[in-house]
Amino acid sequence: DAGVTQSPTHLIKTRGQQVTLRCSPKSGHDTVSWYQQALGQGPQFIFQYYEEEERQRGNFPDRFSGHQFPNYSSELNVNALLLGDSALYLCASSAGTGLNTEAFFGQGTRLTVV
Amino acid sequence: DQQVKQNSPSLSVQEGRISILNCDYTNSMFDYFLWYKKYPAEGPTFLISISSIKDKNEDGRFTVFLNKSAKHLSLHIVPSQPGDSAVYFCAASAGYGQNFVFGPGTRLSVLP
């Protein structure tokens, strides 16, 4: 079982550009959540996708958007990148959206905006 | 406003002794709590959880205690091992299917 896989592992972008991050959930999982972890802080929830729809959203601007595909994989898109978007982006997958559902995290994508 | 707080950024413990990591929360709607462990260059991995209907949950060397009146939970690791050295995140959730709010983490160093 490959677990949750994210690509790319590292990325450098210029301010104002757009970026797409990808996530493949753990086998058997149908729900994908995205988190942003700034240096020295805990992960902050961006949004969650289930059945190809955004089900929940954290306090992030519309520049952050996503998509879930029929195979449950997901993309996170960030437009008009700011220096403050530099962070580790984590994808977590789970089976369903239930409260007591353990989420498995990928290793993350380190995004640096210069 | 930080809803989940971990006031100790770091903690050092001797191998074989007990490690106690603390977490405080402000949102009284939180009713499910988890601890995650994170090694460098890896994603967080689930460690242990506790529901608000319990005050203690134990899994091997790891025990989580929940004090709802004080809005406080703690993770005890006994005995501590060098492989436990990592950053530990406390996370909380309110209600069915809600997202998790993470604390800033505590870096645990277990010294041989």
Side-chain angles (χ1 to χ4, degrees):
Chain A
D1 182 5
V4 180
T5 57
Q6 292 185 244
S7 64
T9 55
H10 295 85
L11 200 53
I12 299 176
K13 287 287 190 178
T14 304
R15 193 172 40 183
Q17 284 188 314
Q18 179 264 346
V19 69
T20 298
L21 311 181
R22 295 176 175 81
C23 172
S24 292
K26 181 178 169 65
S27 177
H29 285 183
D30 55 7
T31 302
V32 173
S33 300
W34 287 92
Y35 288 81
Q36 180 196 65
Q37 185 178 8
L39 200 61
Q41 297 181 24
Q44 287 198 13
F45 176 75
I46 303 175
F47 42 53
Q48 180 186 77
Y49 276 84
Y50 173 68
E51 292 186 337
E52 301 180 50
E53 288 189 13
E54 182 182 295
R55 297 292 176 165
Q56 301 177 59
R57 189 178 183 92
N59 189 25
F60 278 80
D62 292 344
R63 298 187 296 109
F64 290 77
S65 63
H67 188 77
Q68 185 178 37
F69 299 94
N71 67 352
Y72 308 122
S73 67
S74 176
E75 288 181 350
L76 163 66
N77 300 294
V78 187
N79 294 323
L81 283 167
L82 303 174
L83 296 179
D85 295 331
S86 296
L88 179 69
Y89 288 84
L90 295 163
C91 167
S93 76
S94 57
T97 59
L99 175 62
N100 294 340
T101 302
E102 179 185 338
F104 289 77
F105 283 82
Q107 84 284 2
T109 294
R110 172 74 60 187
L111 172 65
T112 302
V113 182
V114 297
Chain B
D1 178 31
Q2 207 172 35
Q3 297 187 69
V4 178
K5 303 175 185 179
Q6 293 176 259
N7 292 322
S8 298
S10 63
L11 175 68
S12 291
V13 170
Q14 208 68 34
E15 181 180 3
R17 307 293 290 268
I18 183 171
S19 294
I20 300 177
L21 296 98
N22 294 304
C23 176
D24 296 286
Y25 60 96
T26 58
N27 189 341
S28 58
M29 299 298 293
F30 287 149
D31 56 5
Y32 188 62
F33 305 88
L34 308 94
W35 285 92
Y36 277 85
K37 178 171 70 173
K38 186 179 186 300
Y39 294 117
E42 295 182 15
T45 55
F46 171 79
L47 199 56
I48 192 168
S49 66
I50 188 165
S51 164
S52 61
I53 62 173
K54 292 184 165 185
D55 54 18
K56 176 183 173 181
N57 190 25
E58 193 171 353
D59 183 2
R61 298 186 296 114
F62 303 91
T63 303
V64 56
F65 296 91
L66 175 62
N67 182 334
K68 289 186 290 293
S69 60
K71 295 191 180 67
H72 176 84
L73 65 157
S74 60
L75 174 68
H76 292 209
I77 306 174
V78 184
S80 301
Q81 299 173 354
D84 296 329
S85 297
V87 177
Y88 289 78
F89 293 100
C90 169
S93 179
Y96 184 89
Q98 294 300 310
N99 70 81
F100 290 102
V101 179
F102 282 79
T106 295
R107 181 177 299 279
L108 173 66
S109 299
V110 180
L111 309 173

